[in-house]
Amino acid sequence: MKKKDEEHKAILAKMKESFNNARLAYASMMAEWDALKTGELKAQIEEMKCNHEAEVGEIKKENVALKASVDDLQATKTWLLSEGVRLFAKNIHKGQEMTAAVAAVNNAMSVVGVNSDLLNGYLHALKLKTPYAAVPLLNRNAAEELNAAVACFDSLVFPVVEDLPKLINEPLSKIKKALTFANSGSSEG
Protein backbone atom coordinates (compact mmCIF):
# COMPACT_ATOMS: atom_id res chain seq x y z
CA MET A 1 0.00 0.00 0.00
CA LYS A 2 2.85 2.19 0.63
CA LYS A 3 3.96 1.70 -2.89
CA LYS A 4 0.60 2.69 -4.20
CA ASP A 5 0.51 5.75 -1.97
CA GLU A 6 3.86 6.78 -3.28
CA GLU A 7 2.74 6.18 -6.82
CA HIS A 8 -0.36 8.26 -6.13
CA LYS A 9 1.77 10.98 -4.55
CA ALA A 10 4.07 10.98 -7.57
CA ILE A 11 1.10 11.09 -9.94
CA LEU A 12 -0.49 13.81 -7.82
CA ALA A 13 2.78 15.81 -7.83
CA LYS A 14 2.98 15.45 -11.62
CA MET A 15 -0.66 16.51 -11.90
CA LYS A 16 -0.03 19.54 -9.65
CA GLU A 17 3.03 20.43 -11.70
CA SER A 18 1.07 19.96 -14.93
CA PHE A 19 -1.81 22.00 -13.50
CA ASN A 20 0.57 24.80 -12.40
CA ASN A 21 2.20 24.77 -15.86
CA ALA A 22 -1.26 24.91 -17.49
CA ARG A 23 -2.24 27.77 -15.16
CA LEU A 24 0.96 29.66 -16.01
CA ALA A 25 0.42 29.02 -19.73
CA TYR A 26 -3.17 30.20 -19.40
CA ALA A 27 -2.08 33.33 -17.52
CA SER A 28 0.60 33.98 -20.15
CA MET A 29 -1.91 33.43 -22.95
CA MET A 30 -4.42 35.77 -21.28
CA ALA A 31 -1.71 38.40 -20.82
CA GLU A 32 -0.83 38.09 -24.51
CA TRP A 33 -4.56 38.26 -25.39
CA ASP A 34 -4.98 41.37 -23.25
CA ALA A 35 -1.92 42.93 -24.87
CA LEU A 36 -3.23 42.02 -28.33
CA LYS A 37 -6.69 43.26 -27.44
CA THR A 38 -5.26 46.46 -25.97
CA GLY A 39 -3.13 46.92 -29.09
CA GLU A 40 -6.16 46.43 -31.30
CA LEU A 41 -8.13 48.85 -29.21
CA LYS A 42 -5.28 51.34 -29.38
CA ALA A 43 -5.17 50.88 -33.16
CA GLN A 44 -8.94 51.33 -33.38
CA ILE A 45 -8.72 54.39 -31.15
CA GLU A 46 -5.93 55.82 -33.34
CA GLU A 47 -7.97 55.13 -36.47
CA MET A 48 -11.02 56.76 -34.95
CA LYS A 49 -8.88 59.71 -33.86
CA CYS A 50 -7.48 60.12 -37.40
CA ASN A 51 -10.98 59.89 -38.90
CA HIS A 52 -12.27 62.37 -36.35
CA GLU A 53 -9.43 64.78 -37.10
CA ALA A 54 -10.17 64.50 -40.82
CA GLU A 55 -13.86 65.16 -40.20
CA VAL A 56 -13.03 68.11 -37.97
CA GLY A 57 -10.72 69.45 -40.69
CA GLU A 58 -13.49 69.16 -43.29
CA ILE A 59 -15.96 70.87 -40.96
CA LYS A 60 -13.45 73.67 -40.33
CA LYS A 61 -12.99 74.13 -44.10
CA GLU A 62 -16.78 74.18 -44.53
CA ASN A 63 -17.05 76.68 -41.68
CA VAL A 64 -14.46 78.97 -43.32
CA ALA A 65 -16.34 78.78 -46.64
CA LEU A 66 -19.67 79.50 -44.94
CA LYS A 67 -18.17 82.42 -43.02
CA ALA A 68 -16.79 83.85 -46.28
CA SER A 69 -20.22 83.44 -47.85
CA VAL A 70 -21.91 85.18 -44.91
CA ASP A 71 -19.33 87.98 -45.04
CA ASP A 72 -19.96 88.39 -48.77
CA LEU A 73 -23.72 88.48 -48.22
CA GLN A 74 -23.29 91.02 -45.44
CA ALA A 75 -21.11 93.20 -47.69
CA THR A 76 -23.67 92.90 -50.49
CA LYS A 77 -26.51 93.84 -48.16
CA THR A 78 -24.56 96.81 -46.81
CA TRP A 79 -23.65 98.01 -50.29
CA LEU A 80 -27.19 97.57 -51.63
CA LEU A 81 -28.67 99.50 -48.73
CA SER A 82 -26.05 102.24 -48.66
CA GLU A 83 -25.32 102.74 -52.37
CA GLY A 84 -27.18 100.26 -54.55
CA VAL A 85 -30.66 101.63 -53.98
CA ARG A 86 -29.43 105.17 -54.72
CA LEU A 87 -27.84 103.99 -57.98
CA PHE A 88 -30.96 102.01 -58.84
CA ALA A 89 -33.12 105.11 -58.38
CA LYS A 90 -30.62 107.21 -60.33
CA ASN A 91 -30.74 104.73 -63.21
CA ILE A 92 -34.50 105.05 -63.32
CA HIS A 93 -34.61 108.80 -62.75
CA LYS A 94 -31.91 109.74 -65.27
CA GLY A 95 -32.34 106.89 -67.71
CA GLN A 96 -33.24 107.48 -71.33
CA GLU A 97 -36.63 105.82 -70.85
CA MET A 98 -37.67 108.26 -68.11
CA THR A 99 -36.23 111.25 -69.95
CA ALA A 100 -38.07 110.35 -73.16
CA ALA A 101 -41.35 109.69 -71.35
CA VAL A 102 -41.21 112.93 -69.35
CA ALA A 103 -40.28 114.86 -72.48
CA ALA A 104 -43.21 113.32 -74.36
CA VAL A 105 -45.66 114.23 -71.58
CA ASN A 106 -44.16 117.73 -71.31
CA ASN A 107 -44.33 118.30 -75.06
CA ALA A 108 -47.89 117.00 -75.24
CA MET A 109 -48.91 119.22 -72.32
CA SER A 110 -47.33 122.21 -74.05
CA VAL A 111 -49.33 121.50 -77.19
CA VAL A 112 -52.53 121.19 -75.13
CA GLY A 113 -51.69 124.52 -73.47
CA VAL A 114 -50.94 126.13 -76.82
CA ASN A 115 -54.18 124.72 -78.22
CA SER A 116 -56.11 126.07 -75.27
CA ASP A 117 -54.65 129.50 -75.84
CA LEU A 118 -55.21 129.15 -79.59
CA LEU A 119 -58.78 128.09 -78.99
CA ASN A 120 -59.35 131.17 -76.87
CA GLY A 121 -57.70 133.22 -79.61
CA TYR A 122 -59.83 131.49 -82.24
CA LEU A 123 -63.00 132.16 -80.30
CA HIS A 124 -61.92 135.76 -80.17
CA ALA A 125 -61.12 135.61 -83.91
CA LEU A 126 -64.58 134.15 -84.58
CA LYS A 127 -66.05 137.18 -83.05
CA LEU A 128 -63.97 139.07 -85.59
CA LYS A 129 -65.02 136.62 -88.39
CA THR A 130 -61.51 134.93 -88.94
CA PRO A 131 -61.78 131.42 -90.55
CA TYR A 132 -60.76 128.36 -88.40
CA ALA A 133 -58.30 126.99 -90.97
CA ALA A 134 -56.38 130.23 -90.80
CA VAL A 135 -55.44 129.74 -87.07
CA PRO A 136 -51.70 128.88 -87.07
CA LEU A 137 -50.17 126.12 -84.80
CA LEU A 138 -53.55 124.61 -83.87
CA ASN A 139 -53.23 120.82 -83.29
CA ARG A 140 -56.64 119.21 -83.26
CA ASN A 141 -55.14 115.90 -81.88
CA ALA A 142 -53.33 117.46 -78.89
CA ALA A 143 -55.59 115.90 -76.21
CA GLU A 144 -55.21 112.40 -77.71
CA GLU A 145 -51.44 112.87 -78.01
CA LEU A 146 -51.27 113.93 -74.34
CA ASN A 147 -53.31 110.87 -73.29
CA ALA A 148 -50.98 108.64 -75.33
CA ALA A 149 -47.88 110.24 -73.75
CA VAL A 150 -49.30 109.75 -70.24
CA ALA A 151 -50.19 106.11 -71.03
CA CYS A 152 -46.65 105.57 -72.35
CA PHE A 153 -45.23 107.13 -69.17
CA ASP A 154 -47.45 104.92 -66.99
CA SER A 155 -46.31 101.77 -68.79
CA LEU A 156 -42.59 102.55 -68.77
CA VAL A 157 -40.27 99.54 -68.63
CA PHE A 158 -36.82 100.19 -67.21
CA PRO A 159 -34.04 97.84 -68.31
CA VAL A 160 -32.31 98.21 -64.95
CA VAL A 161 -35.46 96.91 -63.22
CA GLU A 162 -35.80 94.05 -65.68
CA ASP A 163 -32.10 93.06 -65.64
CA LEU A 164 -31.37 93.25 -61.90
CA PRO A 165 -33.17 90.02 -60.91
CA LYS A 166 -31.03 88.17 -63.48
CA LEU A 167 -27.97 89.01 -61.37
CA ILE A 168 -29.18 87.17 -58.27
CA ASN A 169 -26.35 84.62 -58.34
CA GLU A 170 -23.67 87.02 -59.56
CA PRO A 171 -20.91 88.50 -57.39
CA LEU A 172 -21.25 91.97 -55.95
CA SER A 173 -18.75 93.41 -58.45
CA LYS A 174 -21.03 92.46 -61.35
CA ILE A 175 -24.10 93.90 -59.57
CA LYS A 176 -22.21 97.14 -58.94
CA LYS A 177 -21.19 97.29 -62.59
CA ALA A 178 -24.81 96.76 -63.71
CA LEU A 179 -26.01 99.59 -61.44
CA THR A 180 -23.29 102.06 -62.37
CA PHE A 181 -25.10 104.77 -64.26
CA ALA A 182 -24.08 104.55 -67.90
CA ASN A 183 -24.27 108.28 -68.58
CA SER A 184 -22.32 109.40 -65.51
CA GLY A 185 -18.82 110.73 -66.06
CA SER A 186 -17.42 109.02 -62.96
CA SER A 187 -17.61 105.45 -61.80
CA GLU A 188 -19.89 105.03 -58.81
CA GLY A 189 -19.90 101.96 -56.65
Side-chain angles (χ1 to χ4, degrees):
M1 200 107 144
K2 217 175 186 191
K3 198 174 183 181
K4 280 197 173 200
D5 281 340
E6 286 192 29
E7 281 180 18
H8 282 136
K9 279 185 184 181
I11 292 173
L12 190 61
K14 282 184 184 181
M15 284 176 71
K16 279 185 181 180
E17 185 181 333
S18 177
F19 179 72
N20 283 337
N21 287 340
R23 192 178 341 168
L24 287 173
Y26 177 76
S28 174
M29 183 180 73
M30 289 308 289
E32 286 178 23
W33 172 253
D34 285 344
L36 179 65
K37 196 172 167 185
T38 303
E40 285 177 6
L41 285 176
K42 282 183 181 176
Q44 286 177 349
I45 289 171
E46 281 301 314
E47 183 181 344
M48 289 171 62
K49 189 177 179 182
C50 288
N51 289 341
H52 176 70
E53 287 173 358
E55 288 174 3
V56 167
E58 288 298 317
I59 290 171
K60 283 181 180 179
K61 286 178 188 174
E62 238 179 85
N63 190 27
V64 167
L66 289 172
K67 175 131 178 51
S69 179
V70 167
D71 290 347
D72 184 49
L73 289 172
Q74 186 64 37
T76 300
K77 175 185 165 191
T78 301
W79 180 84
L80 282 173
L81 293 176
S82 64
E83 296 180 45
V85 172
R86 180 181 52 79
L87 286 174
F88 184 76
K90 182 178 179 180
N91 272 284
I92 290 173
H93 178 71
K94 293 195 175 201
Q96 293 175 356
E97 301 80 14
M98 178 70 89
T99 304
V102 169
V105 170
N106 188 41
N107 291 341
M109 285 178 18
S110 293
V111 172
V112 168
V114 167
N115 278 356
S116 176
D117 287 344
L118 288 174
L119 180 60
N120 287 335
Y122 176 71
L123 292 176
H124 180 69
L126 277 180
K127 290 179 187 174
L128 301 176
K129 309 275 187 223
T130 305
Y132 181 73
V135 177
L137 303 177
L138 181 65
N139 182 347
R140 291 173 187 79
N141 300 319
E144 292 81 18
E145 289 173 6
L146 175 60
N147 290 338
V150 169
C152 179
F153 183 82
D154 288 342
S155 64
L156 273 177
V157 175
F158 298 96
V160 69
V161 174
E162 300 296 318
D163 293 343
L164 206 53
K166 297 174 188 169
L167 300 174
I168 193 137
N169 293 320
E170 297 299 329
L172 180 58
S173 60
K174 195 163 184 177
I175 295 170
K176 285 180 178 182
K177 186 176 180 183
L179 284 178
T180 301
F181 187 62
N183 294 339
S184 68
S186 66
S187 170
E188 295 191 36

